[in-house]
Amino acid sequence: MSELPRQLSAGLAAVPPFFVPRRLLLGLGGGVLVSILGVVAFLHLRPDLLDAMGTAMFWVKLAYPLSLALVAGLAAERLARPAATARDRLVWLALPFGAVALAAIVQFVTAAPHSRDAIVMGGSARVCPFLVLAASLPPLLGLIWAMRGLAPTRLRETGAVIGLAAGGVGAFAYAWHCTEWGAPFLAFWYTLGILAAAALGALLGPILLRWK
Amino acid sequence: MRTPEPDLKALMLAGLAGDAAAYRTLLESLERELAPFFRRRLAGDAAEAPDLVQETLIAIHTRRGTYDHSQPFAAWVYAIARHKLVDHFRRRGRAATIPIEDGGALFAADESAGAEARHDLENALARLPPATQSLIRDIKLRELSHAEAARSRGMSETAAKVAVHRGMKKLANMLRPQKDTPP
C-alpha cells in the first residue's frame, strides 16, 4: 500500500454539482465573450442592426449556429466522461442542418434568376468562412482548456465536437457584423466556417487533449 | 477481503461530497484492485504495473468530477485504467489491443478469486473441440490478436473470429451460474 491514497485524500474538497457542464460552459462562455468583443472592436456591429432586427433572417443567422453549438455542447458534456459515446445526441445536428439546407433550396429555387448571385455569394463570401473560423478560436481554446480538466478518451471525436460547438458560437458572434440575408449564403458559407472549426478541433484533439 | 461494487460507489459518492475518510478507503481498495489488473495486462513488463497504478489513481483523483452518478462506478474506473494502459502502450510504440469491457472484469477477476474461477474455466474449456480450445487460449488468455492466432494456424482471420465467438458462447453457457445454487 502506497502513500498515495492518504496524500490524495488529504484536504479533500467536495466536487460541486454539475461539475462537467459548468466547466464546459465556463470555457465556452469566456471564449464567446472574447469573440463578441473582437467582432465589436475590429469588425464593428452591422450599421443597420436595428432595422435588421425586424427581419426573420437576422434571427435565423443567430439561431442556426447557436443550435449547432447547443447540440455539440451537449455531446461534449458526454464525451468529457471516459469511454462515453455521444452519437445519440449528435443525431440532433440533422435538425438545424436540414432546416437551413431546406430553407436555402426553397429560397434559391423561388428567387428570380438575376438575384440568385446575391443570395448565394452575397458580398462577403470570400471572407465569411475565415472570419467565422477566426471568431471560433477563442471558444475553441476555452473548450480545450475545459476538456483538459475532464476525462475524454475519444480524443479526435471530442476535438471535433468541441470544434463544432466553438464554430457555432463563433458564427453567432460573427453574425452581429455580417449583413448577408440569403439563406443559401448562410447554409453554405457559415456552415463551411463552422465545419472548418470542427476540422481544426479534430486535428488538435489528439494532441492537446492527451492526458498528462 | 473484497469490497463489492455498491460499496465502492457509495464511497465514491461520499468522497465527491467531501468525505476524506471514505475517499481514502476508496483509493486504497482501488489501489489493491488495480495492481493485478495491470500486472495481467502488461505480461512481459509487469514491473511497470506499480507506476501505472499510481498514474491511474492520480487520474481518478484529478478527474473525479467526471463520474456520472447514474452510471456504474466500475465502468468509469475501468475506462480510466484502460485509457492509461492504451496510453502506456502507445508511448511504447506497441500496438494496443485491449478489449473494451464493461468494468465488471476489473473487480471480478483479480488474483484472490482467481484460483477457483480458473479451475471452472479449465473444466469448461476441456469440453470444447481441441482446435477451438487452443484458439481461445491464444486469443483470450494469452491476448494474441485474431490475426496472429489465425496466421499461425494457416486459417483466415474471419474464420478464427467465428470459431472463437462460437467457443466463447459455449463457454458462457457452461459457466453461467444456476440461479438456485448457493455460492
Side-chain angles (χ1 to χ4, degrees):
Chain A
M1 191 62 53
S2 74
E3 284 294 284
L4 210 52
R6 188 183 56 74
Q7 289 164 355
L8 293 179
S9 58
L12 184 74
V15 173
F18 304 108
F19 174 75
V20 171
R22 273 160 69 151
R23 190 177 166 94
L24 288 171
L25 269 178
L26 193 63
L28 185 76
V32 180
L33 209 64
V34 173
S35 294
I36 290 176
L37 290 176
V39 167
V40 172
F42 299 114
L43 300 175
H44 310 301
L45 294 174
R46 57 188 294 178
D48 60 346
L49 185 62
L50 288 178
D51 293 335
M53 282 176 146
T55 67
M57 201 56 208
F58 174 80
W59 299 105
V60 171
K61 273 165 62 190
L62 294 178
Y64 168 60
L66 215 51
S67 57
L68 293 177
L70 177 71
V71 176
L74 288 172
E77 193 267 336
R78 276 279 186 77
L79 290 169
R81 306 169 192 280
T85 54
R87 303 277 149 82
D88 58 325
R89 292 191 174 178
L90 286 171
V91 292
W92 289 100
L93 288 173
L95 220 61
F97 276 134
V100 166
L102 191 70
I105 291 167
V106 169
Q107 206 184 73
F108 183 82
V109 172
T110 56
H114 64 85
S115 69
R116 282 181 179 162
D117 189 56
I119 58 171
V120 177
M121 301 303 290
S124 60
R126 222 178 281 184
V127 294
C128 169
F130 295 102
L131 291 173
V132 166
L133 179 61
S136 57
L137 291 181
L140 181 57
L141 287 179
L143 285 171
I144 287 173
W145 164 82
M147 270 298 177
R148 284 172 64 92
L150 302 171
T153 53
R154 298 166 205 274
L155 304 186
R156 193 172 295 283
E157 192 178 339
T158 306
V161 162
I162 62 175
L164 187 63
V169 293
F172 167 84
Y174 176 70
W176 290 88
H177 160 75
C178 160
T179 54
E180 302 291 348
W181 53 273
F185 185 95
L186 177 69
F188 193 79
W189 300 108
Y190 270 61
T191 306
L192 194 63
I194 293 168
L195 291 181
L200 181 64
L203 211 66
L204 294 177
I207 305 164
L208 296 179
L209 300 180
R210 284 280 292 274
W211 296 17
K212 289 181 293 291
Chain B
M1 183 60 211
R2 287 156 39 77
T3 318
E5 152 86 352
D7 287 358
L8 291 184
K9 182 167 177 174
L11 290 173
M12 177 66 172
L13 294 181
L16 289 175
D19 181 341
Y23 190 63
R24 181 175 171 179
T25 310
L26 171 75
L27 291 182
E28 284 169 354
S29 343
L30 289 179
E31 190 172 39
R32 275 195 300 275
E33 306 272 7
L34 287 168
F37 169 84
F38 282 120
R39 270 204 303 277
R40 258 182 295 124
R41 282 164 177 77
L42 286 166
D45 40 14
E48 309 271 0
D51 283 351
L52 274 166
V53 171
Q54 299 239 322
E55 280 182 37
T56 304
L57 278 187
I58 292 171
I60 285 171
H61 174 68
T62 55
R63 295 163 205 267
R64 66 190 184 283
T66 65
Y67 172 56
D68 177 351
H69 303 189
S70 67
Q71 300 294 316
F73 179 62
W76 181 79
V77 172
Y78 179 77
I80 290 181
R82 181 180 185 274
H83 189 70
K84 278 289 169 194
L85 189 62
V86 171
D87 210 46
H88 170 79
F89 286 145
R90 194 184 290 136
R91 278 198 302 266
R92 288 302 168 84
R94 182 173 138 187
T97 47
I98 302 158
I100 295 181
E101 296 161 26
D102 59 6
L106 175 58
F107 302 104
D110 75 357
E111 283 163 357
S112 59
E116 202 183 331
R118 186 154 305 144
H119 181 72
D120 291 348
L121 180 63
E122 286 298 332
N123 280 343
L125 260 176
R127 288 155 64 189
L128 293 177
T132 315
Q133 251 185 63
S134 79
L135 256 183
I136 289 182
R137 275 183 212 281
D138 277 1
I139 291 169
K140 294 294 176 182
L141 303 179
R142 293 176 50 210
E143 306 203 352
L144 291 185
S145 72
H146 286 90
E148 287 165 332
R151 209 181 306 123
S152 68
R153 290 174 172 76
M155 65 198 295
S156 78
E157 196 181 334
T158 316
K161 277 186 185 161
V162 171
V164 167
H165 177 71
R166 290 196 181 134
M168 291 302 283
K169 236 171 150 176
K170 280 190 197 148
L171 274 184
N173 279 330
M174 288 189 250
L175 293 172
R176 184 164 300 142
Q178 263 80 57
K179 272 217 174 93
D180 50 359
T181 348

